[in-house]
Each structure stands twice: as structure tokens, then as C-alpha cells.
Amino acid sequence: MSKGRFGVHGGQYITETLMNAIIELEEAYNHYKNDTQFQKELSELFQNYTGRPSRLYYAEHLTKKLGGAKIYLKREDLNHTGSHKINNVLGQTLLAKKMGKTRIIAETGAGQHGVATATAAALMGMECEVFMGKEDTERQALNVYKMRLLGAKVHPVTSGTATLKDAVSETMREWANRIDDTYYVLGSVMGPHPFPTIVRDFQSVISKEIKQQMLEKENRLPDVVLACVGGGSNAMGAFYHFIEDTSVKLIGCEAAGKGVHTAETAATIATGRLGIFHGMKSYFCQDNYGQIAPVYSISAGLDYPGIGPEHAWLYDTGRAEYVPITDEEAVEAFEYLSCVEGIIPALESAHAVAHAMKIAPNMDKNKIIVINLSGRGDKDCVSVAKYRGENINE
């Protein structure tokens, strides 16, 4: 595979003003990823600050209720800040520090990446600004408060659909305006090269641990690994170390919103086509004129109109499968896991739980599914209550 390409996907489709910053980033990352001191510092942060390795939990009650395959949950929800996002953020913020940057900026959808970035900035004594779609600031008000509490400035983005897509655009513009002291902590496996590779590498600790933990617990690899997919960082992290293990089925669960046959969806693989956006070539939801289409999901973290280039390649080659999950299915799974296991998942993660609920009953009892539980659902309780017609105070 050529530099920054996954099949036809990936690349660097960026303005000239950003090219120097991208070259600087690529050179720094290529140096520090092989630097033993950098890796030692990152490992210590993972262990002492994040709480890694995260648990691989046998969901006994869920397994018995569904009556088929044995189900394990990779508990990224137990990480400090409540999701997988901290893995990538600590890696990139440490890299920024080594590069001599003093200010970090980030986009966020559900707010988990923003909270993680604000947390790492506070830990490492850096200035932090987060761009978040205005609509998302309203449905994720608690995370906005957390970011401000941690010392970050939060900028509500009002352009376009005022969601994640527009937050990414605004953050890229801000980076182009102030490259010298600023590092853009991109939150998913997307954007121009080397971001998809950097984020994947930092998140791949998830699949590395799953593999090791499965061998310890079951003396074999799982049959299926499930993860939700927006841009795709938690899924790429959960899939990466299994790509060569073709006996392991990899399934990404996209946000279908109100259905893939409606305009209110964010299922890129199901409805998108090849295009170029946010510095990369990949699959994107587009209108009849090739413009990026507005997307929708009840989950603020999955309403991105594209998918990371490595996922697009995994789809093209048939190595991974991508399935659409509707709002209703995700909400049902959110409620079901909460009742059955006493674990409230993020609405994003509930998309993966929903697919497990579909396939597990039809699998033999000697088969094993691992669900990457990418985050916890505290942030989503108000949204789900509202969806169910209840009014609760935040």
C-alpha cells in the first residue's frame, strides 16, 4: 500500500497552507512512534492515568438471555473520561508536547473526544479549544460543561448542519490560521494522511488487549468482533490486530438513523459513494450533485457523513462487513443492556449491542462474540428519555 493509501482511499487532499503542518506532523510521528522513551511515557499514561488494560467482561446474563453465542464486552467505558477516546488523545497530546506545541484544538460530536482532549490538555498544561456543532452542544450540554470545567474553550459551530461535519471543517480552518504553536488532535481514523494511521495506531491497543485477554480466558480467538462506526476509531482499534486473523469476522455497525431508505440516516457504507472531503478520499453520504449530504442519528458521535479510509478499504476487500442499525434498535439495545447487565452503554456503543442481539441467538453456544463497548451512556440518558417521551432534569 502506498503512503497514506488504503486501496484507492486515503491520501492528502488539503490546502497548501496546511501542507507544512502535515509534513511536520508526519515526520514527528514517524520519529516518536519508534522512540522507546515516548512509548514508555505513553504506556505509563495508559496504565496509571487511563486505567489500561480495560477489562474484557463475560456478559453472562446477556449471553443466557439471548440464548446463543457467548458474549464478551470490551469495557472501554471504564477508561478515565468514559470512552475509548482517551487512548488516541493521550498519544496525540504527548506527541504535540514533544513537538513543542503549546495549544491543542479538536472537533467533537458527542463530546467524548472533546472531554478527553480537555482532560489531556489539563494534565499536560496546554491551552485547549474545542469546536462542536451547536446542535450537539445542546443535546450534549453535560459534556460541554465538563470541557469548560477542565479549562477548555468550547466554540459552538453554527455553519451548515451545526453538527460534527461542520465542527471538523471549522477546526481545520482554525489550524490553518495558527500552525506555529497549535496541534490539531483529530478524533477519528479520518482526515488527511497521517491522521488515519496515527489514530488507528493509538487505538489499536484495544484489539491488542482483546487478543491477549481472549487467549487467557478462552485459549482461542473470538469468532466475531463488533463495534459501532461513525468515522470509525473505536472499530478500527478493535479490528486492527485481527485483520490478518481471517477466522475472526469483523462487523462495523453504522447509524441508520430513521432508516437507510430515508434522508435521515448516517450509514455511509449502506448509502454513500466515493468522494473527497476533509482531506481524504473515502465513501461519503452525498446528494445527487455530489455535495456532502446532511446526515442524522440519535447518536451525536455517529452523525458524520463519511467513514475512515481504512474502513472503506476493509469493506472493498470484503475483510469487514458493515451493517446499518436504526435509532429504535440502538435505543432498545441501550435499555436492554442496562436492565440485563447493569451496564449503561453509550448510544454509539448500543448500535453494536443491537447487532449482537440480532446475531447471537442464531449462533452456536460454542461461538464467541466480542462487543467493543466504546463508551458509557451517562451523556445519553436525557436524549433517550426524550426519545421515549419522558422529561427529566439533566
Side-chain angles (χ1 to χ4, degrees), residues 62 66 69 71 73 224-229 239 249-256 320-334 336-337 347-363 369-373:
L62 184 63
L66 295 176
I71 300 173
L73 306 176
V224 179
V225 175
L226 288 178
C228 66
V229 178
F239 292 174
K249 196 169 187 180
L250 307 175
I251 306 177
C253 305
E254 297 191 299
E321 180 188 344
Y322 295 85
V323 296
I325 302 294
T326 65
D327 284 358
E328 181 61 28
E329 289 169 330
V331 168
E332 282 177 6
F334 176 92
Y336 193 75
L337 188 66
L347 261 177
E348 291 80 8
S349 316
H351 286 71
V353 176
H355 194 62
M357 288 166 63
K358 290 180 184 179
I359 65 172
N362 301 315
M363 292 170 68
I369 297 172
V370 174
I371 304 170
N372 191 34
L373 207 68

Short mmCIF file of all heavy atoms in Angstrom, two decimals, residues 62 66 69 71 73 224-229 239 249-256 320-334 336-337 347-363 369-373:
data_model
loop_
_atom_site.label_atom_id
_atom_site.label_comp_id
_atom_site.label_asym_id
_atom_site.label_seq_id
_atom_site.Cartn_x
_atom_site.Cartn_y
_atom_site.Cartn_z
N LEU A 62 -26.50 -11.49 29.63
CA LEU A 62 -26.83 -11.18 28.24
C LEU A 62 -26.73 -12.45 27.39
O LEU A 62 -27.60 -12.73 26.56
CB LEU A 62 -25.88 -10.10 27.70
CG LEU A 62 -26.14 -9.57 26.29
CD1 LEU A 62 -27.50 -8.87 26.20
CD2 LEU A 62 -25.03 -8.61 25.86
N LEU A 66 -30.05 -14.14 25.54
CA LEU A 66 -30.11 -14.24 24.07
C LEU A 66 -30.04 -15.69 23.61
O LEU A 66 -30.50 -16.02 22.52
CB LEU A 66 -29.00 -13.41 23.43
CG LEU A 66 -29.11 -11.89 23.66
CD1 LEU A 66 -27.91 -11.17 23.06
CD2 LEU A 66 -30.40 -11.33 23.06
N ALA A 69 -24.57 -17.47 21.15
CA ALA A 69 -23.13 -17.29 21.32
C ALA A 69 -22.78 -16.66 22.66
O ALA A 69 -23.57 -15.91 23.24
CB ALA A 69 -22.59 -16.41 20.19
N ILE A 71 -21.01 -14.02 24.88
CA ILE A 71 -20.74 -12.59 24.59
C ILE A 71 -19.82 -11.99 25.63
O ILE A 71 -20.05 -12.11 26.84
CB ILE A 71 -22.05 -11.79 24.53
CG1 ILE A 71 -22.96 -12.34 23.43
CG2 ILE A 71 -21.76 -10.30 24.29
CD1 ILE A 71 -24.34 -11.72 23.40
N LEU A 73 -17.77 -8.26 26.60
CA LEU A 73 -17.76 -6.82 26.38
C LEU A 73 -16.37 -6.28 26.67
O LEU A 73 -15.83 -6.52 27.76
CB LEU A 73 -18.76 -6.11 27.31
CG LEU A 73 -20.22 -6.60 27.30
CD1 LEU A 73 -21.03 -5.85 28.36
CD2 LEU A 73 -20.84 -6.43 25.93
N VAL A 224 -16.40 -13.41 16.32
CA VAL A 224 -16.90 -12.14 15.80
C VAL A 224 -16.43 -11.00 16.70
O VAL A 224 -16.47 -11.12 17.93
CB VAL A 224 -18.45 -12.12 15.73
CG1 VAL A 224 -18.96 -10.78 15.20
CG2 VAL A 224 -18.99 -13.26 14.90
N VAL A 225 -15.98 -9.90 16.10
CA VAL A 225 -15.72 -8.66 16.83
C VAL A 225 -16.67 -7.60 16.28
O VAL A 225 -16.69 -7.36 15.06
CB VAL A 225 -14.25 -8.19 16.70
CG1 VAL A 225 -14.07 -6.84 17.39
CG2 VAL A 225 -13.30 -9.22 17.31
N LEU A 226 -17.45 -7.00 17.16
CA LEU A 226 -18.45 -5.99 16.78
C LEU A 226 -18.08 -4.62 17.34
O LEU A 226 -17.65 -4.53 18.49
CB LEU A 226 -19.82 -6.34 17.37
CG LEU A 226 -20.63 -7.50 16.82
CD1 LEU A 226 -21.91 -7.63 17.63
CD2 LEU A 226 -20.96 -7.29 15.37
N ALA A 227 -18.27 -3.59 16.56
CA ALA A 227 -18.05 -2.23 17.05
C ALA A 227 -18.90 -1.25 16.25
O ALA A 227 -19.17 -1.48 15.07
CB ALA A 227 -16.57 -1.85 16.93
N CYS A 228 -19.32 -0.18 16.89
CA CYS A 228 -20.05 0.87 16.16
C CYS A 228 -19.08 1.65 15.29
O CYS A 228 -17.87 1.71 15.56
CB CYS A 228 -20.77 1.80 17.14
SG CYS A 228 -19.67 2.79 18.19
N VAL A 229 -19.62 2.25 14.22
CA VAL A 229 -18.77 3.01 13.28
C VAL A 229 -19.43 4.33 12.90
O VAL A 229 -20.54 4.34 12.39
CB VAL A 229 -18.51 2.21 11.98
CG1 VAL A 229 -17.69 3.04 11.01
CG2 VAL A 229 -17.79 0.90 12.27
N PHE A 239 -10.58 -3.75 15.54
CA PHE A 239 -10.35 -4.66 14.41
C PHE A 239 -8.87 -4.92 14.11
O PHE A 239 -8.51 -5.99 13.65
CB PHE A 239 -10.97 -4.09 13.12
CG PHE A 239 -12.46 -4.02 13.08
CD1 PHE A 239 -13.10 -3.39 12.00
CD2 PHE A 239 -13.26 -4.56 14.08
CE1 PHE A 239 -14.48 -3.31 11.92
CE2 PHE A 239 -14.65 -4.47 14.02
CZ PHE A 239 -15.26 -3.85 12.93
N LYS A 249 -14.52 -12.76 12.29
CA LYS A 249 -15.39 -11.89 11.49
C LYS A 249 -15.42 -10.50 12.12
O LYS A 249 -15.62 -10.36 13.33
CB LYS A 249 -16.80 -12.49 11.45
CG LYS A 249 -17.69 -11.93 10.37
CD LYS A 249 -18.95 -12.76 10.23
CE LYS A 249 -19.76 -12.31 9.04
NZ LYS A 249 -20.99 -13.09 8.87
N LEU A 250 -15.21 -9.48 11.31
CA LEU A 250 -15.20 -8.10 11.78
C LEU A 250 -16.46 -7.39 11.27
O LEU A 250 -16.69 -7.37 10.06
CB LEU A 250 -13.95 -7.37 11.28
CG LEU A 250 -12.60 -8.05 11.58
CD1 LEU A 250 -11.47 -7.29 10.92
CD2 LEU A 250 -12.38 -8.19 13.08
N ILE A 251 -17.26 -6.86 12.18
CA ILE A 251 -18.52 -6.23 11.77
C ILE A 251 -18.63 -4.82 12.38
O ILE A 251 -18.61 -4.66 13.60
CB ILE A 251 -19.76 -7.07 12.18
CG1 ILE A 251 -19.64 -8.50 11.66
CG2 ILE A 251 -21.04 -6.40 11.68
CD1 ILE A 251 -20.79 -9.41 12.09
N GLY A 252 -18.75 -3.83 11.51
CA GLY A 252 -18.96 -2.45 11.93
C GLY A 252 -20.44 -2.11 11.86
O GLY A 252 -21.12 -2.47 10.89
N CYS A 253 -20.94 -1.44 12.89
CA CYS A 253 -22.37 -1.13 12.98
C CYS A 253 -22.59 0.37 12.80
O CYS A 253 -22.21 1.17 13.65
CB CYS A 253 -22.91 -1.61 14.34
SG CYS A 253 -22.55 -3.37 14.63
N GLU A 254 -23.18 0.72 11.67
CA GLU A 254 -23.38 2.13 11.32
C GLU A 254 -24.71 2.66 11.84
O GLU A 254 -25.65 1.90 12.08
CB GLU A 254 -23.40 2.28 9.79
CG GLU A 254 -22.11 1.91 9.11
CD GLU A 254 -22.14 2.36 7.65
OE1 GLU A 254 -23.00 1.89 6.88
OE2 GLU A 254 -21.30 3.19 7.30
N ALA A 255 -24.78 3.98 11.96
CA ALA A 255 -26.01 4.62 12.42
C ALA A 255 -26.96 4.83 11.25
O ALA A 255 -26.75 5.69 10.40
CB ALA A 255 -25.68 5.96 13.07
N ALA A 256 -28.02 4.02 11.21
CA ALA A 256 -29.00 4.15 10.13
C ALA A 256 -30.03 5.23 10.41
O ALA A 256 -30.86 5.55 9.55
CB ALA A 256 -29.70 2.81 9.91
N ALA A 320 -14.07 -6.80 6.19
CA ALA A 320 -15.03 -6.41 7.24
C ALA A 320 -16.41 -6.20 6.61
O ALA A 320 -16.52 -5.87 5.42
CB ALA A 320 -14.58 -5.14 7.95
N GLU A 321 -17.41 -6.40 7.43
CA GLU A 321 -18.81 -6.22 7.00
C GLU A 321 -19.36 -5.01 7.75
O GLU A 321 -18.97 -4.76 8.90
CB GLU A 321 -19.59 -7.49 7.38
CG GLU A 321 -21.05 -7.50 7.01
CD GLU A 321 -21.78 -8.71 7.61
OE1 GLU A 321 -21.13 -9.68 8.03
OE2 GLU A 321 -23.02 -8.65 7.65
N TYR A 322 -20.23 -4.27 7.11
CA TYR A 322 -20.81 -3.08 7.75
C TYR A 322 -22.33 -3.16 7.66
O TYR A 322 -22.87 -3.38 6.58
CB TYR A 322 -20.26 -1.80 7.10
CG TYR A 322 -18.77 -1.68 7.34
CD1 TYR A 322 -17.86 -2.33 6.50
CD2 TYR A 322 -18.27 -0.99 8.44
CE1 TYR A 322 -16.49 -2.27 6.74
CE2 TYR A 322 -16.90 -0.92 8.69
CZ TYR A 322 -16.02 -1.57 7.84
OH TYR A 322 -14.67 -1.53 8.11
N VAL A 323 -22.98 -3.01 8.81
CA VAL A 323 -24.44 -3.18 8.87
C VAL A 323 -25.09 -1.92 9.44
O VAL A 323 -24.53 -1.28 10.33
CB VAL A 323 -24.82 -4.41 9.73
CG1 VAL A 323 -24.30 -5.69 9.10
CG2 VAL A 323 -24.30 -4.27 11.16
N PRO A 324 -26.27 -1.55 8.93
CA PRO A 324 -26.97 -0.37 9.46
C PRO A 324 -27.86 -0.73 10.66
O PRO A 324 -28.53 -1.77 10.65
CB PRO A 324 -27.82 0.10 8.27
CG PRO A 324 -28.05 -1.14 7.45
CD PRO A 324 -26.94 -2.09 7.72
N ILE A 325 -27.85 0.12 11.67
CA ILE A 325 -28.67 -0.06 12.88
C ILE A 325 -29.48 1.22 13.08
O ILE A 325 -28.92 2.32 13.13
CB ILE A 325 -27.79 -0.31 14.13
CG1 ILE A 325 -26.90 -1.55 13.95
CG2 ILE A 325 -28.66 -0.43 15.38
CD1 ILE A 325 -27.61 -2.87 13.85
N THR A 326 -30.79 1.09 13.20
CA THR A 326 -31.65 2.27 13.35
C THR A 326 -31.63 2.84 14.77
O THR A 326 -31.19 2.17 15.71
CB THR A 326 -33.11 1.93 13.00
OG1 THR A 326 -33.60 0.98 13.97
CG2 THR A 326 -33.25 1.37 11.59
N ASP A 327 -32.12 4.07 14.90
CA ASP A 327 -32.27 4.69 16.23
C ASP A 327 -33.04 3.78 17.17
O ASP A 327 -32.64 3.57 18.32
CB ASP A 327 -33.06 6.01 16.12
CG ASP A 327 -32.24 7.15 15.54
OD1 ASP A 327 -31.05 6.96 15.26
OD2 ASP A 327 -32.82 8.24 15.37
N GLU A 328 -34.18 3.26 16.69
CA GLU A 328 -35.03 2.43 17.54
C GLU A 328 -34.29 1.19 18.03
O GLU A 328 -34.37 0.83 19.22
CB GLU A 328 -36.30 2.03 16.77
CG GLU A 328 -37.30 1.18 17.56
CD GLU A 328 -37.85 1.83 18.83
OE1 GLU A 328 -37.94 3.08 18.88
OE2 GLU A 328 -38.20 1.09 19.77
N GLU A 329 -33.56 0.55 17.14
CA GLU A 329 -32.79 -0.65 17.52
C GLU A 329 -31.70 -0.30 18.54
O GLU A 329 -31.48 -1.03 19.52
CB GLU A 329 -32.14 -1.28 16.29
CG GLU A 329 -33.15 -1.96 15.37
CD GLU A 329 -32.55 -2.35 14.02
OE1 GLU A 329 -31.61 -1.67 13.54
OE2 GLU A 329 -33.04 -3.34 13.44
N ALA A 330 -31.05 0.85 18.34
CA ALA A 330 -29.99 1.28 19.26
C ALA A 330 -30.56 1.61 20.64
O ALA A 330 -29.98 1.24 21.67
CB ALA A 330 -29.24 2.48 18.69
N VAL A 331 -31.70 2.31 20.66
CA VAL A 331 -32.32 2.67 21.94
C VAL A 331 -32.78 1.41 22.68
O VAL A 331 -32.59 1.28 23.90
CB VAL A 331 -33.49 3.66 21.73
CG1 VAL A 331 -34.32 3.82 23.00
CG2 VAL A 331 -32.95 5.02 21.29
N GLU A 332 -33.36 0.47 21.96
CA GLU A 332 -33.77 -0.80 22.59
C GLU A 332 -32.56 -1.52 23.19
O GLU A 332 -32.64 -2.07 24.30
CB GLU A 332 -34.46 -1.70 21.56
CG GLU A 332 -35.90 -1.29 21.29
CD GLU A 332 -36.57 -2.14 20.20
OE1 GLU A 332 -35.93 -3.12 19.75
OE2 GLU A 332 -37.71 -1.82 19.83
N ALA A 333 -31.44 -1.52 22.47
CA ALA A 333 -30.23 -2.18 22.97
C ALA A 333 -29.66 -1.44 24.18
O ALA A 333 -29.16 -2.05 25.14
CB ALA A 333 -29.19 -2.26 21.86
N PHE A 334 -29.74 -0.11 24.15
CA PHE A 334 -29.31 0.75 25.27
C PHE A 334 -30.08 0.35 26.54
O PHE A 334 -29.50 0.15 27.61
CB PHE A 334 -29.58 2.21 24.88
CG PHE A 334 -29.30 3.25 25.93
CD1 PHE A 334 -28.06 3.87 25.98
CD2 PHE A 334 -30.28 3.65 26.83
CE1 PHE A 334 -27.80 4.86 26.93
CE2 PHE A 334 -30.03 4.63 27.78
CZ PHE A 334 -28.78 5.24 27.82
N TYR A 336 -31.84 -2.48 26.97
CA TYR A 336 -31.71 -3.92 27.24
C TYR A 336 -30.44 -4.23 28.02
O TYR A 336 -30.48 -4.93 29.04
CB TYR A 336 -31.72 -4.69 25.91
CG TYR A 336 -31.89 -6.18 26.04
CD1 TYR A 336 -33.14 -6.74 26.35
CD2 TYR A 336 -30.82 -7.06 25.85
CE1 TYR A 336 -33.31 -8.10 26.46
CE2 TYR A 336 -30.97 -8.43 25.96
CZ TYR A 336 -32.23 -8.95 26.27
OH TYR A 336 -32.40 -10.31 26.38
N LEU A 337 -29.31 -3.70 27.56
CA LEU A 337 -28.05 -3.97 28.27
C LEU A 337 -28.08 -3.37 29.67
O LEU A 337 -27.57 -3.99 30.62
CB LEU A 337 -26.86 -3.39 27.48
CG LEU A 337 -25.48 -3.78 28.04
CD1 LEU A 337 -25.22 -5.28 27.90
CD2 LEU A 337 -24.35 -3.00 27.35
N LEU A 347 -24.84 5.55 23.54
CA LEU A 347 -25.75 5.28 22.42
C LEU A 347 -24.97 4.79 21.20
O LEU A 347 -25.47 3.96 20.43
CB LEU A 347 -26.53 6.55 22.05
CG LEU A 347 -27.95 6.64 22.59
CD1 LEU A 347 -28.56 7.99 22.21
CD2 LEU A 347 -28.84 5.51 22.10
N GLU A 348 -23.75 5.31 21.03
CA GLU A 348 -22.90 4.84 19.94
C GLU A 348 -22.68 3.33 20.09
O GLU A 348 -22.96 2.55 19.18
CB GLU A 348 -21.54 5.57 19.95
CG GLU A 348 -21.61 7.03 19.58
CD GLU A 348 -22.06 7.94 20.72
OE1 GLU A 348 -22.17 7.47 21.88
OE2 GLU A 348 -22.31 9.13 20.46
N SER A 349 -22.19 2.93 21.26
CA SER A 349 -21.89 1.51 21.52
C SER A 349 -23.14 0.64 21.42
O SER A 349 -23.06 -0.53 21.05
CB SER A 349 -21.30 1.34 22.92
OG SER A 349 -20.33 2.32 23.20
N ALA A 350 -24.29 1.21 21.76
CA ALA A 350 -25.55 0.46 21.72
C ALA A 350 -25.87 -0.03 20.30
O ALA A 350 -26.58 -1.03 20.14
CB ALA A 350 -26.69 1.33 22.25
N HIS A 351 -25.33 0.65 19.29
CA HIS A 351 -25.53 0.17 17.91
C HIS A 351 -24.88 -1.20 17.73
O HIS A 351 -25.43 -2.07 17.06
CB HIS A 351 -24.94 1.17 16.90
CG HIS A 351 -25.76 2.42 16.73
ND1 HIS A 351 -25.85 3.39 17.70
CD2 HIS A 351 -26.53 2.84 15.68
CE1 HIS A 351 -26.65 4.37 17.27
NE2 HIS A 351 -27.07 4.05 16.04
N ALA A 352 -23.71 -1.40 18.35
CA ALA A 352 -23.03 -2.71 18.27
C ALA A 352 -23.76 -3.75 19.10
O ALA A 352 -23.90 -4.91 18.69
CB ALA A 352 -21.58 -2.56 18.72
N VAL A 353 -24.26 -3.33 20.27
CA VAL A 353 -25.03 -4.25 21.12
C VAL A 353 -26.28 -4.72 20.36
O VAL A 353 -26.66 -5.89 20.40
CB VAL A 353 -25.43 -3.56 22.45
CG1 VAL A 353 -26.32 -4.49 23.30
CG2 VAL A 353 -24.18 -3.15 23.24
N ALA A 354 -26.91 -3.79 19.64
CA ALA A 354 -28.13 -4.12 18.88
C ALA A 354 -27.87 -5.22 17.85
O ALA A 354 -28.68 -6.13 17.67
CB ALA A 354 -28.66 -2.87 18.17
N HIS A 355 -26.72 -5.16 17.19
CA HIS A 355 -26.44 -6.20 16.19
C HIS A 355 -26.13 -7.53 16.86
O HIS A 355 -26.51 -8.59 16.35
CB HIS A 355 -25.29 -5.78 15.27
CG HIS A 355 -25.19 -6.64 14.05
ND1 HIS A 355 -26.22 -6.72 13.12
CD2 HIS A 355 -24.23 -7.50 13.61
CE1 HIS A 355 -25.88 -7.56 12.16
NE2 HIS A 355 -24.68 -8.06 12.44
N ALA A 356 -25.47 -7.48 18.01
CA ALA A 356 -25.23 -8.72 18.76
C ALA A 356 -26.56 -9.38 19.15
O ALA A 356 -26.69 -10.60 19.09
CB ALA A 356 -24.41 -8.41 20.02
N MET A 357 -27.54 -8.55 19.50
CA MET A 357 -28.87 -9.08 19.87
C MET A 357 -29.53 -9.77 18.68
O MET A 357 -30.32 -10.70 18.85
CB MET A 357 -29.76 -7.94 20.40
CG MET A 357 -29.34 -7.45 21.78
SD MET A 357 -30.11 -5.87 22.25
CE MET A 357 -31.86 -6.32 22.28
N LYS A 358 -29.18 -9.34 17.46
CA LYS A 358 -29.74 -9.97 16.26
C LYS A 358 -29.05 -11.30 15.93
O LYS A 358 -29.70 -12.27 15.56
CB LYS A 358 -29.57 -9.05 15.04
CG LYS A 358 -30.44 -7.81 15.04
CD LYS A 358 -30.15 -7.01 13.76
CE LYS A 358 -30.90 -5.70 13.72
NZ LYS A 358 -30.61 -4.94 12.50
N ILE A 359 -27.71 -11.31 16.04
CA ILE A 359 -26.98 -12.48 15.52
C ILE A 359 -26.68 -13.56 16.57
O ILE A 359 -26.60 -14.73 16.24
CB ILE A 359 -25.66 -12.07 14.82
CG1 ILE A 359 -24.66 -11.42 15.79
CG2 ILE A 359 -25.96 -11.14 13.64
CD1 ILE A 359 -23.27 -11.18 15.19
N ALA A 360 -26.53 -13.15 17.84
CA ALA A 360 -26.13 -14.13 18.87
C ALA A 360 -27.10 -15.30 19.00
O ALA A 360 -26.67 -16.46 19.08
CB ALA A 360 -25.95 -13.43 20.21
N PRO A 361 -28.45 -15.05 18.99
CA PRO A 361 -29.38 -16.19 19.17
C PRO A 361 -29.28 -17.24 18.06
O PRO A 361 -29.65 -18.40 18.28
CB PRO A 361 -30.76 -15.51 19.15
CG PRO A 361 -30.51 -14.10 19.53
CD PRO A 361 -29.17 -13.77 18.95
N ASN A 362 -28.78 -16.85 16.89
CA ASN A 362 -28.68 -17.79 15.76
C ASN A 362 -27.31 -18.46 15.65
O ASN A 362 -27.04 -19.18 14.70
CB ASN A 362 -28.99 -17.05 14.45
CG ASN A 362 -30.38 -16.44 14.48
OD1 ASN A 362 -31.33 -17.08 14.89
ND2 ASN A 362 -30.49 -15.18 14.06
N MET A 363 -26.45 -18.19 16.64
CA MET A 363 -25.11 -18.79 16.63
C MET A 363 -25.02 -19.90 17.67
O MET A 363 -25.75 -19.89 18.67
CB MET A 363 -24.05 -17.70 16.92
CG MET A 363 -23.92 -16.67 15.81
SD MET A 363 -22.88 -15.25 16.26
CE MET A 363 -21.27 -16.02 16.41
N ILE A 369 -18.64 -13.89 20.68
CA ILE A 369 -18.73 -12.52 20.15
C ILE A 369 -18.06 -11.58 21.15
O ILE A 369 -18.31 -11.68 22.35
CB ILE A 369 -20.20 -12.08 19.97
CG1 ILE A 369 -20.93 -12.95 18.95
CG2 ILE A 369 -20.29 -10.61 19.58
CD1 ILE A 369 -22.43 -12.68 18.88
N VAL A 370 -17.25 -10.68 20.66
CA VAL A 370 -16.74 -9.59 21.49
C VAL A 370 -17.34 -8.28 20.97
O VAL A 370 -17.22 -7.97 19.79
CB VAL A 370 -15.19 -9.49 21.46
CG1 VAL A 370 -14.73 -8.25 22.24
CG2 VAL A 370 -14.55 -10.74 22.07
N ILE A 371 -18.00 -7.56 21.87
CA ILE A 371 -18.54 -6.23 21.53
C ILE A 371 -17.60 -5.19 22.13
O ILE A 371 -17.31 -5.23 23.34
CB ILE A 371 -19.95 -6.01 22.12
CG1 ILE A 371 -20.93 -7.11 21.68
CG2 ILE A 371 -20.47 -4.63 21.75
CD1 ILE A 371 -22.25 -7.07 22.44
N ASN A 372 -17.11 -4.27 21.31
CA ASN A 372 -16.32 -3.18 21.86
C ASN A 372 -17.28 -2.14 22.44
O ASN A 372 -17.95 -1.43 21.69
CB ASN A 372 -15.43 -2.54 20.80
CG ASN A 372 -14.42 -1.60 21.42
OD1 ASN A 372 -13.94 -1.84 22.53
ND2 ASN A 372 -14.10 -0.52 20.74
N LEU A 373 -17.36 -2.11 23.75
CA LEU A 373 -18.25 -1.15 24.42
C LEU A 373 -17.47 0.17 24.52
O LEU A 373 -16.77 0.42 25.49
CB LEU A 373 -18.65 -1.68 25.79
CG LEU A 373 -19.99 -1.16 26.31
CD1 LEU A 373 -21.14 -1.71 25.47
CD2 LEU A 373 -20.20 -1.53 27.76
#
